[in-house]
């Protein structure tokens, strides 16, 4: 069974460009979470999606950031007009069902660097 | 809101030493508690979990007990190995009905280095 797949592993963008991060959840998982890890910090929740629905986006910056999880294909985290402060590791996690007891399975992350 | 506080790191130990990493939390009701481990350049891997008071999670020689009275979930291992060197994260997930339901709230992480 393939785990959570994220790509690309590393992404370099210049200020003002767009960054698109992809996440394919584990087979059979329909719940996707995105987290951001700034250097030497813990992970911070950004957004929680189910297929075609955003359930909780309370951790997403109000501007430039968006996320989707279409009926077909991977979940996408999009960052428009990137700035230096967006440099971080972005992790996707998936679970089979919603719920506090459900463990979330993480991908290896996308490390975004802004020049 | 929910929060998790871990002991400050980094922690440096010799092989076969006893390990404790403290974790306390603030949450309403009965959250589920987790320890995740992150090796360099990789994502987080679930190490163990506990979903109700007095539950003990265990895996690979690591243990943690859900203490409701002290709101703690300290990680312990009796004899660490060099291969245990990693970053350890304590996390909680709120119970159903809470505003944080489904998402994980993490501590800041503790870097563990084990020397031969």
């Amino acid at each position: 069974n393939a785990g959570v797949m994220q790509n690309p592993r590393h992404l370099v963008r210049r200020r003002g460009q767009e960054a698109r991060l992809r996440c394919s959840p584990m087979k059979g998982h329909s719940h996707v979470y995105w987290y951001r890890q700034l250097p030497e910090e813990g992970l911070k929740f950004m957004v929680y999606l189910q297929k075609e629905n955003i359930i909780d986006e309370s951790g997403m910056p109000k501007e430039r950031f968006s996320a989707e999880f279409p009926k077909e294909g991977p979940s996408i985290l999009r960052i428009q007009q990137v700035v230096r402060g967006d440099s971080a590791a972005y992790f996707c996690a998936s679970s089979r069902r919603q719920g506090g007891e459900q463990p979330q399975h993480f991908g290896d992350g996308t490390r975004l660097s802004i020049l | 809101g929910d929060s998790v506080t871990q002991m400050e790191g980094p922690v440096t130990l010799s092989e076969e030493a006893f390990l404790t990493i403290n974790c306390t939390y603030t949450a309403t009701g009965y959250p589920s508690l987790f320890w995740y481990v992150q090796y360099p350049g990789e994502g987080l891997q679930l190490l163990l979990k506990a979903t109700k008071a007095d539950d003990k999670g265990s895996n690979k020689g690591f243990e943690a007990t859900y203490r409701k009275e002290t709101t703690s979930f300290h990680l312990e291992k009796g004899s660490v190995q060099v291969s245990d060197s990693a970053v350890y994260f304590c996390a909680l997930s709120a119970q159903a009905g809470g505003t944080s339901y489904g998402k994980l709230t993490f501590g800041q992480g503790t870097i563990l280095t084990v020397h031969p």
Side-chain angles (χ1 to χ4, degrees):
Chain A
N1 270 341
V4 177
M5 304 300 292
Q6 289 188 249
N7 67 81
R9 288 294 306 274
H10 300 275
L11 181 61
V12 179
R13 286 287 178 266
R14 296 188 180 279
R15 281 178 293 173
Q17 292 183 320
E18 177 180 283
R20 290 167 61 92
L21 288 62
R22 295 174 182 77
C23 169
S24 297
M26 286 182 68
K27 187 177 181 180
H29 287 194
S30 59
H31 300 262
V32 167
Y33 306 80
W34 285 93
Y35 296 86
R36 178 165 62 176
Q37 184 178 32
L38 294 170
E40 301 186 7
E41 292 188 14
L43 280 74
K44 300 284 192 246
F45 167 80
M46 298 183 74
V47 61
Y48 163 37
L49 310 102
Q50 294 178 30
K51 282 286 187 181
E52 301 184 274
N53 290 302
I54 296 175
I55 306 302
D56 180 355
E57 55 182 350
S58 58
M60 284 270 273
K62 293 291 185 285
E63 298 178 351
R64 303 188 297 108
F65 285 72
S66 63
E68 62 179 16
F69 188 16
K71 186 176 181 180
E72 302 290 339
S75 176
I76 306 288
L77 179 67
R78 182 183 293 110
I79 310 172
Q80 297 177 303
Q81 300 176 339
V82 296
V83 300
R84 288 256 171 86
D86 297 333
S87 294
Y90 293 82
F91 290 95
C92 169
S94 72
S95 63
R96 186 176 299 277
R97 291 181 292 273
Q98 182 189 28
E101 298 182 6
Q102 295 295 313
Q104 294 178 20
H105 300 264
F106 283 78
D108 285 343
T110 293
R111 281 145 184 86
L112 175 63
S113 298
I114 308 303
L115 301 180
Chain B
D2 299 339
S3 66
V4 175
T5 301
Q6 288 182 233
M7 67 183 285
E8 295 284 333
V11 174
T12 303
L13 296 173
S14 298
E15 206 165 26
E16 298 184 5
F18 183 85
L19 169 70
T20 299
I21 301 178
N22 290 338
C23 171
T24 57
Y25 68 90
T26 302
T28 53
Y30 292 86
S32 294
L33 302 174
F34 305 85
W35 277 100
Y36 282 85
V37 57
Q38 184 180 32
Y39 298 100
E42 298 183 9
L44 277 68
Q45 300 174 26
L46 177 66
L47 183 59
L48 52 85
K49 71 171 186 175
T51 58
K52 59 182 186 295
D54 300 324
D55 264 2
K56 176 186 283 188
S58 61
N59 185 27
K60 300 180 181 179
F62 291 90
E63 293 182 340
T65 300
Y66 190 142
R67 299 290 188 199
K68 178 70 175 175
E69 62 278 11
T70 55
T71 61
S72 65
F73 193 53
H74 304 322
L75 182 68
E76 296 182 336
K77 186 175 185 182
S79 177
V80 294
Q81 305 299 313
V82 172
S83 57
D84 293 328
S85 298
V87 183
Y88 292 81
F89 291 95
C90 184
L92 69 80
S93 184
Q95 65 175 145
T99 56
S100 304
Y101 189 53
K103 68 185 181 189
L104 290 168
T105 299
F106 286 90
Q108 68 270 38
T110 300
I111 300 172
L112 171 65
T113 303
V114 180
H115 292 298

